[in-house]
Amino acid sequence: QVLSLPIVVIVHGNQDNNAKATVLWDNAFSEIERVPFVVAERVPWEKMCDTLNLKFMAEVQTTKGLLKKHYFFLAQKIFNDHSASLEDFQSRNVSWAQFNKEILPGRGFTFWQWFDGVLDLTKRCLKSYWSDGLIIGFISKQYVCKLLSTEPDGTFLLRFSDSEIGGVTIAYVTRGKDGSSQVENIQPFSAKDLSIRSLGDRIRDLGQLRNLYPNTPKDQAFGSHYNSERGELG
């Protein structure tokens, strides 16, 4: 006999996401000298952060990992708590149910289903953008409004969609009819969308986008990601 990595047998592709969650949890949090199949039901949030970071970097094949501000957003999401501080979350435990069983408030998917969608999208379509530091990604819609509301027209940033699995959206500043500053969010782009026209070319096409937050001209930030032929508007 020989010890192996955990294996989950599935009979249909729709079980794949849950199987990956099971393997990840077992790999990250099981004790070496454990009773077979016994894994902790709750683990420290700090250990979960390390696991998510290692998974992200390995899956996307990038050296640019997650930052404290990303962990803060992820903690707010998984614990459904927007009042706690970063330090408060560091002392908490997260359960298997919070990770992969409980549906996120107002959504139709779990935390892991959402995070796995981000992994897949970034790996397939956004690796170079992420590695170049062009995507904030893990940031709430509410905090984006706070960041951008005092910025000049056309300032924009990229974040992963809260409402859709595997989507990236662009938030930008525009001027309302009354002259006040407003933050608009473009419909999220999926991997399918980005396989038809790349993110860089879509950003070039959108005339209302001028500077990547805080103040980098978009052609300077994304120029290396533009295709040489402009093509038609996406």
Side-chain angles (χ1 to χ4, degrees):
Q1 67 177 23
V2 62
L3 289 174
S4 79
L5 292 173
I7 295 172
V8 177
V9 179
I10 63 175
V11 296
H12 195 279
N14 63 11
Q15 298 171 322
D16 181 61
N17 183 268
N18 185 63
K20 286 193 288 185
T22 302
V23 169
L24 180 67
W25 189 277
D26 193 288
N27 266 333
F29 307 122
S30 61
E31 299 292 338
I32 295 176
E33 299 294 333
R34 62 167 172 176
V35 176
F37 310 112
V38 172
V39 189
E41 183 62 29
R42 306 181 72 85
V43 298
W45 172 243
E46 281 193 307
K47 286 186 70 175
M48 174 59 76
C49 289
D50 290 341
T51 298
L52 293 176
N53 183 47
L54 289 172
K55 179 66 174 175
F56 187 92
M57 293 175 70
E59 198 78 19
V60 177
Q61 291 290 293
T62 180
T63 56
K64 183 177 171 60
L66 305 184
L67 305 174
K68 279 188 176 181
K69 62 183 180 182
H70 299 142
Y71 295 140
F72 187 43
F73 166 74
L74 293 171
Q76 290 177 321
K77 196 172 193 69
I78 201 168
F79 292 112
N80 188 30
D81 186 347
H82 295 272
S83 61
S85 67
L86 180 63
E87 292 70 27
D88 291 336
F89 288 128
Q90 289 174 343
S91 61
R92 293 192 188 182
N93 289 332
V94 61
S95 69
W96 166 252
Q98 288 170 315
F99 179 68
N100 189 48
K101 290 294 181 186
E102 297 171 359
I103 301 298
L104 293 172
R107 307 300 181 206
F109 43 81
T110 67
F111 174 86
W112 167 250
Q113 287 173 325
W114 175 83
F115 189 82
D116 189 45
V118 167
L119 283 179
D120 185 64
L121 175 72
T122 309
K123 175 176 66 176
R124 292 168 61 185
C125 305
L126 303 176
K127 175 183 173 180
S128 59
Y129 301 92
W130 173 268
S131 298
D132 287 350
L134 301 175
I135 299 176
I136 293 180
F138 300 102
I139 184 172
S140 69
K141 201 173 187 177
Q142 294 75 17
Y143 192 58
V144 165
C145 287
K146 183 179 177 182
L147 279 185
L148 295 183
S149 59
T150 57
E151 296 297 324
D153 284 12
T155 304
F156 68 98
L157 58 77
L158 290 93
R159 66 178 185 85
F160 298 123
S161 173
D162 269 332
S163 58
E164 296 185 17
I165 292 177
V168 63
T169 188
I170 302 171
Y172 67 97
V173 183
T174 186
R175 195 66 54 185
K177 291 180 180 178
D178 60 356
S180 64
S181 181
Q182 296 181 1
V183 176
E184 301 286 346
N185 288 272
I186 293 172
Q187 179 72 21
F189 302 122
S190 66
K192 183 178 179 181
D193 296 326
L194 299 178
S195 69
I196 296 169
R197 189 156 181 78
S198 72
L199 180 63
D201 287 343
R202 288 177 185 273
I203 288 172
R204 179 174 58 181
D205 293 343
L206 294 166
Q208 68 268 45
L209 307 182
R210 297 176 190 165
N211 296 307
L212 180 66
Y213 177 85
N215 55 9
T216 306
K218 75 173 182 182
D219 290 345
Q220 180 182 326
F222 291 91
S224 63
H225 299 276
Y226 296 163
N227 288 319
S228 54
E229 292 187 21
R230 182 174 179 86
E232 295 185 354
L233 296 184

